[in-house]
Amino acid sequence: QLTGLSPTFEDENYYAKNGLGLTIDAEIQRIAEDAASSLEKGAVVVSDVKTGQLRALVSRPDYDGAKIADYLESENAELLNRCYQSYNIGSIWKLMVLASYLEDNGTLPTFTTECPGYIDVGGQRFACHKDTGHGIVDCKTAVEQSCNVYFIQLALEEMELDRIVDLAARFGVGESRYLAPGNTVQKGRLPSNYKRPTLALIANTA
């Protein structure tokens, strides 16, 4: 309270029905925040797959609103809302590759390969997230262990890049998403010039 001023309270239009109604679900939000409590950097976003409505948004690291100045020079970018940033889609994309295979073949791949922790393709080395490798992997273990090498090898040996990209586009990958007035999710990018794709492009896409 400022010296010499009396506090006032205004409730005009507070109960109006035409205000902002969030789609965030308090219980789902609480669960998401609990799940992200040990996350150093990243985001947790939960959306309704039928409507696209957002049910929970958590950005980490978080910040204390009373200490904003402390974050202006921080390397951790606490003030960046990672929920709305354009991120590489990561391991979720592996399911897109698998969905494309299923659509074209009507069954899961019987393909197996060995993961030593990396794969060399077209003069470039693509790492798996597990440095020591996953050993011999089939489709089931590749999904369970999120093995990069398996899906790269699968795409190179048994799939066509244009089929993967086509299915991803039909899923809406790469599109900008409207959230609220003045607030949209950034547009992503799918490979477009793939008439004669390099092996490295196929591997990177997979």
Side-chain angles (χ1 to χ4, degrees), residues 116-189:
Y118 64 89
I119 181 172
D120 292 321
V121 179
Q124 297 184 47
R125 174 160 291 189
F126 295 84
C128 196
H129 69 89
K130 187 177 181 182
D131 294 338
T132 57
H134 293 102
I136 302 297
V137 288
D138 58 12
C139 178
K140 182 175 184 291
T141 54
V143 172
E144 289 175 346
Q145 303 297 322
S146 193
C147 178
N148 294 345
V149 171
Y150 179 89
F151 284 95
I152 291 173
Q153 199 73 34
L154 177 68
L156 288 171
E157 293 193 14
E158 300 196 14
M159 301 182 70
E160 298 292 335
L161 177 64
D162 62 337
R163 298 295 298 149
I164 299 172
V165 173
D166 175 67
L167 181 127
R170 284 185 279 130
F171 266 106
V173 175
E175 295 179 4
S176 177
R177 295 289 180 180
Y178 171 85
L179 299 177
N183 199 343
T184 59
V185 174
Q186 296 178 12
K187 185 177 182 180
R189 185 174 64 184

Side-chain angles (χ1 to χ4, degrees), residues 18-44:
N18 61 348
L20 176 65
L22 300 180
T23 61
I24 299 296
D25 182 287
E27 180 63 13
I28 298 176
Q29 179 71 23
R30 182 191 62 77
I31 294 170
E33 290 184 5
D34 288 346
S37 61
S38 61
L39 188 65
E40 290 187 18
K41 289 184 181 180
V44 177

